[in-house]
Amino acid sequence: MAGRLLKVSSLATAVFASSGFYLYTRQLDLNDLSVIRFGRAAAATAVISYDYLTAFKHVEYGTEEYWALKSKVHLRSAERLRDLCCANRGTFIKVGQHLGALDYLLPEEYTSTLKVLHSRAPQSTMEEIQQVIREDLGKELSELFVSFEEKPQGAASLAQVHKAVLHDGRTVAVKVQHPKVQRQSSKDIAVIEVLLRAVHWLFPDFAFMWLVEEAKKNMPLELDFLNEGRNAEKVTKMLAHFPFLKVPVIHWHLSTKRILTMEFAEGGQVNDRDYMKKHGISVNEISESLGKMYSEMIFVHGFVHCDPHPGNVLVRKCPQSKKTEIVLLDHGLYQVLQPDFRLDYCRLWQALIKGDMPGVERYSRRLGAGALYPLFACVLTARSWTAVNAGISSVPVTHSEDVEIRTNASLYLPQISELLNRVPRQMLLLLKTNDLLRGIETTLQTRASSSSFINMSRCCIRAMARHKRSKAQSRRRRLQITLAESLSLWRLYMYELFLWTKGSMLVHWLTALLSYLH
């Protein structure tokens, strides 16, 4: 028996030693091992779950002590989740960034903690970048570029961007995928799914499976840079009538599924007010242009850029024309809205802007909200039910209303989770897009401005008229629709002119002069 045990232990030692030697010679990073990544994620999930299960045992629900303790637990858990995302990188950071944008759903402790993941993305080494370029383009860096900056311009969860110069003198941005992301993404999503199911079993009110479904569908698209290039060209043609929009030109001969080479465009981030002030860029003009662009994408075309976080939206003065431009980057994730969904979404926003409550209920139900339509309207607009009833275009946003929204988000978490599991999948990315745009408007201090509602209304009118014309049987009916559309747009223009006149300095001067003369 002792001899057999000695043989087994000798064999185990040999296997362990040879495995260690193999890992050493391969210079394998332990972070790449699925068992390590899963173990780290499982441990973090277990600690967070245990914290929530035990922290409130000796505290009475609803007391000041309870709410203070709950905030501390939220913060501890958010920090553990952030550290997990930073350690596992790749898909985990991408999912963490998505969670950080869910202001309407998660407590403030989570969103403020996870928002830093946009600036904590990993960097690949220069050797790894060269290897990806060598494998995909079949040439060395020196054969493709005159110069290639080693320090990346920016690093994201899936890729990083380097500035380079081609042999013909043109400056380009080279987006290179992190070498391990492609291989790890499907396994990471499976890990996240298993752990979310476990958490849902422990806490039935926690229903985030929709997040996994979205990741399964969207991650392959975001990892295909050729798809991103095609999206960039499509949106360039689609919005060619907007002179303020700049989408970098793609260099297809230097692009693959893991490499995207495009025209280099400089600018400041859209939330950088100091940059805008320094370069004489109007904050209101940027906010209005952004609203026009996204209203056109959502309501008229149903082809929506779904990742407008500040790092993907730059502003600048055009080097040639000196006019203000918005540079739109990262076209990997677009949502294609089905026609019926898009039209109901148009009608819903028209009802919300006007305060048409029967319309709000009707179109919210048609979009899958059911009896939760009041909650849906509040989530969609990030406004209180009082403001929704009055018509969101006529009630200014206040700090107290924002506090009320955040408080209600934590109180109605089970209902919000049920709502998100109920609405069509394409609604989820729209909600994320709305939140990111709302965050930009809040930073620019232009949130809920009248111009944004006017632009939305204008696009809704055009979209509805286009749909009616496509269904019309006669030329006379199409002409009637076009005339009605023109009349509605003219009324909107006159209202916009009235608001501009009312707010102009000339009117203030004339009013002051008349008061003085009187």
Side-chain angles (χ1 to χ4, degrees):
M1 187 67 162
R4 191 178 301 173
L5 187 61
L6 183 61
K7 287 180 181 178
V8 171
S9 61
S10 299
L11 180 62
T13 303
V15 169
F16 182 78
S18 59
S19 299
F21 179 73
Y22 173 76
L23 293 176
Y24 175 77
T25 54
R26 289 287 303 273
Q27 294 184 325
L28 189 66
D29 187 348
L30 290 178
N31 282 322
D32 296 343
L33 297 177
S34 297
V35 66
I36 297 293
R37 299 169 69 78
F38 175 79
R40 189 185 285 133
T45 304
V47 170
I48 291 171
S49 300
Y50 181 78
D51 202 359
Y52 276 104
L53 284 169
T54 59
F56 308 102
K57 280 186 176 180
H58 306 295
V59 181
E60 185 181 348
Y61 176 82
T63 62
E64 285 188 20
E65 185 185 359
Y66 173 87
W67 294 116
L69 179 60
K70 192 169 187 178
S71 178
K72 289 179 182 177
V73 175
H74 283 334
L75 185 59
R76 284 200 300 263
S77 302
E79 288 171 348
R80 287 167 181 147
L81 188 57
R82 177 202 61 204
D83 293 342
L84 168 65
C85 292
C86 290
N88 275 5
R89 301 178 296 184
T91 307
F92 280 83
I93 284 188
K94 194 71 180 176
V95 171
Q97 289 172 345
H98 192 166
L99 289 172
L102 300 180
D103 292 307
Y104 56 87
L105 178 57
L106 291 178
E108 194 272 338
E109 292 87 353
Y110 275 92
T111 54
S112 61
T113 303
L114 294 176
K115 274 183 170 67
V116 304
L117 290 174
H118 283 293
S119 58
R120 295 277 290 272
Q123 285 189 20
S124 294
T125 64
M126 196 58 200
E127 290 73 23
E128 290 172 323
I129 294 298
Q130 286 177 312
Q131 184 61 29
V132 172
I133 290 174
R134 196 180 296 121
E135 289 173 2
D136 282 31
L137 296 176
K139 292 183 179 180
E140 297 295 331
L141 278 181
S142 58
E143 298 177 76
L144 299 168
F145 308 102
V146 173
S147 66
F148 189 95
E149 292 186 4
E150 291 195 13
K151 184 180 179 182
Q153 295 285 308
S157 55
L158 305 182
Q160 62 192 51
V161 178
H162 291 262
K163 187 177 181 181
V165 178
L166 299 177
H167 286 286
D168 61 9
R170 286 178 293 176
T171 305
V172 294
V174 186
K175 183 176 179 179
V176 185
Q177 196 172 111
H178 298 309
K180 301 162 188 174
V181 169
Q182 192 85 242
R183 185 176 66 253
Q184 292 172 344
S185 62
S186 58
K187 296 174 186 175
D188 286 346
I189 292 171
V191 167
I192 293 169
E193 181 174 15
V194 168
L195 295 177
L196 282 179
R197 288 191 186 280
V199 173
H200 180 54
W201 179 75
L202 283 172
F203 306 95
D205 289 342
F206 184 90
F208 272 71
M209 294 315 298
W210 56 269
L211 190 64
V212 175
E213 292 173 29
E214 286 300 294
K216 282 181 179 177
K217 185 181 76 174
N218 296 323
M219 193 58 67
L221 296 175
E222 292 193 77
L223 290 172
D224 182 359
F225 289 176
L226 294 178
N227 173 66
E228 180 178 342
R230 289 189 292 268
N231 286 341
E233 291 197 339
K234 180 175 179 178
V235 82
T236 301
K237 292 174 184 175
M238 190 176 84
L239 302 181
H241 56 288
F242 287 144
F244 60 77
L245 176 61
K246 172 68 180 174
V247 178
V249 176
I250 306 298
H251 294 269
W252 288 107
H253 68 292
L254 293 174
S255 298
T256 68
K257 279 197 168 188
R258 294 194 297 170
I259 300 169
L260 188 66
T261 305
M262 67 203 98
E263 173 188 5
F264 185 82
E266 290 185 285
Q269 290 193 3
V270 70
N271 62 346
D272 189 344
R273 290 174 63 89
D274 292 335
Y275 176 90
M276 294 191 210
K277 186 177 180 180
K278 181 180 177 182
H279 291 83
I281 296 172
S282 167
V283 168
N284 290 324
E285 182 185 352
I286 290 297
S287 184
E288 185 173 351
S289 296
L290 203 59
K292 283 181 182 178
M293 189 169 75
Y294 270 89
S295 292
E296 186 92 7
M297 285 190 217
I298 293 169
F299 299 115
V300 179
H301 299 283
F303 185 68
V304 190
H305 179 281
C306 284
D307 202 11
H309 74 75
N312 290 339
V313 186
L314 307 182
V315 295
R316 68 174 190 175
K317 288 286 188 181
C318 175
Q320 288 77 37
S321 67
K322 303 303 178 185
K323 292 183 178 179
T324 301
E325 287 185 335
I326 292 177
V327 183
L328 194 60
L329 305 173
D330 198 347
H331 301 268
L333 186 56
Y334 271 75
Q335 179 67 277
V336 179
L337 306 182
Q338 297 303 315
D340 289 343
F341 173 92
R342 178 172 57 84
L343 292 168
D344 282 338
Y345 194 64
C346 276
R347 296 178 183 115
L348 174 58
W349 269 104
Q350 284 181 308
L352 287 166
I353 290 169
K354 295 175 185 174
D356 171 15
M357 297 315 296
V360 170
E361 180 178 357
R362 183 185 312 118
Y363 296 114
S364 294
R365 287 182 179 276
R366 286 177 62 165
L367 288 168
L372 294 173
Y373 74 89
L375 182 62
F376 180 57
C378 294
V379 166
L380 189 61
T381 59
R383 303 296 302 273
S384 67
W385 183 238
T386 303
V388 170
N389 272 275
I392 56 173
S393 63
S394 59
V395 182
V397 179
T398 62
H399 176 69
S400 60
E401 185 185 6
D402 279 340
V403 171
E404 180 187 344
I405 289 290
R406 282 200 173 278
T407 304
N408 287 341
S410 59
L411 292 176
Y412 292 105
L413 183 60
Q415 292 88 338
I416 293 174
S417 295
E418 181 188 345
L419 176 67
L420 294 177
N421 280 298
R422 182 185 288 186
V423 297
R425 298 298 91 190
Q426 50 195 329
M427 179 61 75
L428 299 177
L429 278 180
L430 276 186
L431 289 172
K432 174 193 172 186
T433 305
N434 284 346
D435 281 348
L436 288 168
L437 291 172
R438 199 174 289 126
I440 292 170
E441 288 180 341
T442 300
T443 304
L444 299 181
Q445 298 176 3
T446 58
R447 187 172 158 207
S449 65
S450 57
S451 63
S452 65
F453 293 124
I454 288 170
N455 288 325
M456 289 172 71
S457 298
R458 187 176 284 120
C459 287
C460 287
I461 290 167
R462 287 172 50 213
M464 295 304 302
R466 178 188 288 187
H467 170 69
K468 290 175 182 176
R469 273 194 295 270
S470 69
K471 300 292 183 182
Q473 300 294 322
S474 65
R475 183 178 297 177
R476 180 183 175 185
R477 177 61 185 146
R478 285 193 290 272
L479 180 60
Q480 287 176 335
I481 294 166
T482 301
L483 289 173
E485 176 191 13
S486 299
L487 181 60
S488 296
L489 291 173
W490 180 79
R491 285 174 179 162
L492 206 56
Y493 171 75
M494 294 305 294
Y495 177 62
E496 189 175 27
L497 185 62
F498 165 73
L499 291 177
W500 177 84
T501 305
K502 185 180 175 183
S504 69
M505 288 301 296
L506 179 61
V507 171
H508 290 301
W509 289 339
L510 288 173
T511 304
L513 179 61
L514 288 171
S515 298
Y516 174 75
L517 292 174
H518 179 69

